[in-house]
Amino acid sequence: MINRYEVAEVSKIWSDEVKFTKYLEVEIALLRAYEKKGKVPIGTADRFKGVKILPDRIREIEATTRHDMIAFCTSITEQVSPEHARYFHFGVTSSDVIDTALSLQIRDSVDLVIGSLQRLIEALNQKVEMTKDILALGRSHGMAAEPMVFAQKFLSSKVELARRLRDFEHVMTSELTGQLSGAVGNYTVVDPEVESIALKELHLAVEPVSTQVIPRDHIGLMVSIGALTASALERLAVEIRHLHRSDVGEVHEGFSAGQKGSSTMPHKKNPISAENITGLSRVIRSHLTIALENNVLWHERDISHSSAERLFLPDHFGLLIYAIRRMTNTIRDLEIHREVIQKKVDANFQTLSSAILHQLIQQNSVAREDLYAIVQEASFEAKDLSAFVDSIQSRLAKKGLKWDSTKLNWVGIRKNYFDRFQQVVKRTTQVEE
């Protein structure tokens, strides 16, 4: 990962040193399982507790062997006596150790994603509480539509990201598996009971049918959740960017002391965080294609997936967590311009057309289409709310129709928006519980 977007905790998880440490954890768990079944002498596993992970030595050996797992095993076994070294990596293949260790790395990474998502969801919830009393102009197709509670913007993203949080929690409990099944997954040396004992120590489920390679649909599912999370982040980012525009001006990203918006225009305050997240989301989603293609291997076992995963998995988790955390800070620091938001509702009087249309439908026994045309013509013609109401009354009178405009109770209509929004909030709370 380039320094600009690096998340230190993620880089550590995917470092060579931690990767080789996970390999050793898997090998030691296997030795303990063999001990319990009387396959190797008691105490064999303990002989490997004090060995050192030596990435430079592993690379040195690999330069000759051109096989990373052999290089790893050699770097370990040369640190212990031949009597105990002979049982290291006993009966398993490279993929047994690599894939099982990979699940451990993924688990640590997903744990970071879950924590980051929880903090973003809480930040969104705080913004819901902060803006639940603001009536805003709702838009569809980019055009003024009807009033809405401003907090709904944050609530919608909160609920979407809560779904992704549940998806990642599912990954932790159901999609992280290990295997110690030997060549082509046929258990020539390792028996399933030894495998089960070892994986239980590692807190991993046993892959039900391993092919020597853990099926990559697990990773495909996980990356698809990451891609959906990126889309959720971009959806929120794009909304912030639109509200941030000079001709809208309803929100602004936080602007710190000394920050500059342009190299030549001192007046600029650009939505740089939302734009950054938009771009990163595109990269994160691109990983899904790789993950899905990795699911197809020759005779169910080759290493064409390996090089791709070495590259995209660290980047996937790093960028995803970076984007989530950046969005969390963006939401926390977001400036909400209440007066600007509320004035737009009053200025766009045509947004009352739906409420008026349905009052007319209730008060007159004529075709809906005829009433729709009257309200539409008046809304296109009128310059303010008073002229809007007068225009409708005039058109109705010409057709012998009536409308008690005193029932256009703006206070009551506003109350409906807030009351019904609270019902939506309650509904989402019940779903979360």
Side-chain angles (χ1 to χ4, degrees), residues 124-125 127-139 146-160 235-236 239 243 336 341 416-425 427-428:
L124 286 165
N125 195 53
K127 273 295 188 287
V128 170
E129 288 298 309
M130 184 186 301
T131 60
K132 65 184 181 182
D133 61 338
I134 303 175
L135 196 64
L137 181 63
R139 299 171 178 90
E146 288 202 10
M148 62 178 286
V149 179
F150 194 80
Q152 185 173 322
K153 296 175 183 292
F154 301 114
L155 183 65
S156 177
S157 286
K158 172 197 166 184
V159 172
E160 181 180 8
R235 181 168 80 94
L236 180 55
E239 180 63 15
L243 296 175
I336 311 294
I341 295 169
N416 275 346
Y417 292 131
F418 291 115
D419 288 349
R420 288 166 186 173
F421 175 72
Q422 285 305 317
Q423 292 176 24
V424 173
V425 172
R427 184 170 64 202
T428 61

Side-chain angles (χ1 to χ4, degrees), residues 255 260-262 265-270:
F255 203 76
K260 304 292 189 296
S262 167
M265 294 174 281
H267 66 282
K268 295 290 290 298
K269 283 186 177 182
N270 300 327

